[in-house]
Amino acid sequence: MSNELFEKAADAICDADVERAEELAQIALDEGIAPLEMIEKGYTAGINEVGRLFDRGELFLPQLMGCAEAMKSATAILKEAAAEQGSESEESIKVVLGTVQGDVHDIGKGIVASILEANGIEVHDLGTDVAVEDFIETAKEVDADIIGTSALLTTTMGVSEELLKTLDEEDLRGEFKVMVGGGPVTKRWADKIGADGYAENANEAVSKIKELVD
Amino acid sequence: MIIIGELINTSRDGLESAVKGRDVELIQDLAKKQEEAGADYIDVNCGTLLKEEPEALEWLVNIVQEVVDVPLCVDTPNTKALKRGLAAHEGRALVNSITAEEERFAETLEIIKEHDARVVALVMDDDGMPKGAEDRIKVGSKLIEDLTTSGIAEEDIFVDPIIQPIGTDQEVGQHILDAVEEIKKDYEEVHITCGLSNISHGLPERQLLNRTFLILAMSRGLDSAIIDPLDPKIMALLTAADTLLGNDQYCANYIQTVKSKE
């Protein structure tokens, strides 16, 4: 019975069906299925499949975002229930995210935040025009695993390099992995400045983050 | 329609190495082809070269102007590069771009005045990218007012309403179209331009969305576009749309274009 429910939950995510995903979360609770098990075996299986389909070019960006929406709504219900029951969820990966100082582009970074959250990653989104010190301050505060920067201008890309230097100077380079992304940013440039990772799109960011933290 | 040919841009495949290697022939060929295809401006952008951008931009302006008669669109947010590019340019260039971000506005304005350039005005300010139609109209109007007060003629301003992906916000197309219409209504002499490819980000068959959006925007007052003039489909649509919108007396341009292809 619960296997069938897990499958339905995964399908609801793949179909980006927010209502159905929420409804199934409620059914799982009514049937006494452990909320965290429902997330893991149902919804997470779904969002993983979504990631695979996106990689293969079978799903497109708006669909990916719709699936993420369904994922977030359904898992919010289950996580709340799990907290009430006192069951601990596994410590999630923490990412501090922002668009660098001097740059106010927010769309791409917003997509990344949304897709990371849907994949169970805890995101601290600092918004746009974020100073190097603010990235570092927040990363220390929340004990982040990863700092992710976005830059959409060739004139602001250099800020990520500054971030790496500052981390070095403050002896914090070993504490946080740094990932970079954004329109003009390339894998080659990321390697050149010594960043730990680069992702071309939100979906790639998920796997890269998991790989880095593993 | 004022067509800005977008092909000389180092973010396109193969162009960065061409500019780094100072491949005169390849760049000049691209410039000539775009002029022949009907470009009114040839855009030059080498932003991906970062620190080497100012020198490379100067080089691009020089070698492109050797072979075309149309002016260039000097495309960079880097004021150092902009200065070098404009200093090398003969005639009136178009600068892409100024924004309403306080610092960038002041610095860029000074440079365009010094070189008597025309300017693309991006509707963003220190609060960030525009959110809806209202935001676009507000920032666009402010830019036009501030530029004209500083002595820039309305007809030398090209407002860019900033195209964002329809894939991440399904209402953004409508917002842009409303803003185009409203700005054009309030400031008749101002031009409205935009790059189109952002609209289709993350979606299949991107050219179909780009072309369709161009036509929709033209019907609301867009009178310039940053496009690939070597794409015969988009150029044919443009000519036809211009005629249908009443911008082609006796349909002369349309007829001539069709005949020249026979």
Side-chain angles (χ1 to χ4, degrees), chain A residues 19-186:
Chain A
E19 258 172 59
R20 179 80 179 134
E22 287 177 347
E23 189 185 84
L24 290 163
Q26 202 50 56
I27 292 175
L29 292 176
D30 294 344
E31 288 184 7
I33 296 168
L36 295 177
E37 193 186 357
M38 178 68 177
I39 291 180
E40 196 199 315
K41 295 188 177 155
Y43 296 108
T44 304
I47 201 77
N48 287 344
E49 176 64 9
V50 167
R52 272 193 295 277
L53 291 171
F54 182 81
D55 274 345
R56 289 214 307 260
E58 286 176 36
L59 278 183
F60 293 93
L61 181 61
Q63 295 168 302
L64 180 68
M65 295 186 68
C67 299
E69 237 3 84
M71 184 71 186
K72 279 193 273 184
S73 313
T75 52
I77 296 171
L78 293 167
K79 277 181 185 164
E80 198 188 316
E84 274 168 19
Q85 293 171 12
S87 48
E88 292 277 321
S89 50
E90 236 181 279
E91 177 98 332
S92 39
I93 299 171
K94 291 181 196 146
V95 176
V96 171
L97 197 65
T99 305
V100 300
Q101 193 155 43
D103 201 325
V104 294
H105 291 85
D106 57 356
I107 292 182
K109 189 259 309 156
I111 297 171
V112 172
S114 173
I115 304 305
L116 295 188
E117 276 173 1
N119 282 276
I121 294 167
E122 185 179 320
V123 177
H124 298 266
D125 186 349
L126 301 182
T128 63
D129 197 13
V130 180
V132 165
E133 309 85 71
D134 293 340
F135 276 111
I136 297 177
E137 210 41 56
T138 310
K140 285 200 278 195
E141 225 172 84
V142 303
D143 187 24
D145 300 289
I146 294 199
I147 301 177
T149 65
S150 168
L152 270 290
L153 297 170
T154 48
T155 44
T156 55
M157 275 164 68
V159 179
S160 302
E161 204 173 354
E162 264 174 56
L163 170 70
L164 288 162
K165 273 189 202 146
T166 313
L167 285 171
D168 256 336
E169 282 160 17
E170 296 181 7
D171 241 359
L172 291 166
R173 189 65 190 88
E175 299 291 309
F176 317 110
K177 304 271 190 208
V178 174
M179 282 187 63
V180 295
V185 177
T186 59

Side-chain angles (χ1 to χ4, degrees), chain B residues 21-221:
Chain B
R22 299 290 188 263
D23 187 339
V24 176
E25 202 178 327
L26 187 147
I27 301 292
Q28 288 189 334
D29 185 50
L30 257 187
K32 277 191 286 192
K33 277 190 182 145
Q34 291 185 87
E35 183 184 37
E36 279 160 21
D40 300 286
Y41 284 91
I42 309 293
D43 192 280
V44 283
N45 180 321
C46 56
T48 60
L49 266 57
L50 303 174
K51 285 185 184 115
E52 296 153 37
E53 183 192 4
E55 199 189 328
L57 194 59
E58 182 185 343
W59 175 77
L60 276 175
V61 170
N62 279 326
I63 64 148
V64 171
Q65 281 214 303
E66 272 174 24
V67 293
V68 301
D69 293 323
V70 293
L72 309 195
C73 175
V74 183
D75 186 357
T76 177
N78 176 342
T79 48
K80 220 185 265 175
L82 183 59
K83 277 185 199 168
R84 294 267 301 256
L86 286 180
H89 190 276
E90 283 167 35
R92 299 189 73 198
L94 175 62
V95 166
N96 189 4
S97 55
I98 198 165
T99 69
E101 293 162 290
E102 217 169 294
E103 206 177 313
R104 182 158 163 199
F105 182 85
E107 285 178 11
T108 313
L109 176 65
E110 202 187 304
I111 303 170
I112 58 172
K113 285 191 77 171
E114 190 190 326
H115 294 277
D116 187 32
R118 307 176 90 187
V119 68
V120 175
L122 282 179
V123 297
M124 57 191 280
D125 60 15
D126 288 309
D127 291 333
M129 303 296 275
K131 301 291 181 292
E134 290 291 304
D135 229 16
R136 288 180 162 82
I137 296 163
K138 191 188 81 192
V139 181
S141 306
K142 181 176 167 28
L143 275 162
I144 295 167
E145 294 291 340
D146 290 352
L147 285 167
T148 49
T149 310
S150 309
I152 309 290
E154 261 192 33
E155 64 191 44
D156 289 333
I157 303 169
F158 290 64
V159 173
D160 182 332
I162 300 191
I163 310 299
Q164 294 169 338
I166 197 80
T168 58
D169 174 3
Q170 282 77 64
E171 283 174 11
V172 78
Q174 196 59 57
H175 289 157
I176 295 163
L177 296 174
D178 289 346
V180 167
E181 182 166 300
E182 196 63 28
I183 294 170
K184 195 69 184 176
K185 203 173 79 193
D186 291 345
Y187 304 95
E188 266 180 42
E189 300 299 314
V190 159
H191 301 285
I192 315 265
T193 194
C194 66
L196 287 162
S197 56
N198 255 352
I199 197 77
S200 58
H201 179 81
L203 288 167
E205 285 277 1
R206 295 188 62 173
Q207 294 300 341
L208 176 60
L209 290 167
N210 298 349
R211 290 179 194 132
T212 307
F213 194 67
L214 175 71
I215 304 309
L216 288 171
M218 281 176 73
S219 78
R220 306 287 286 268

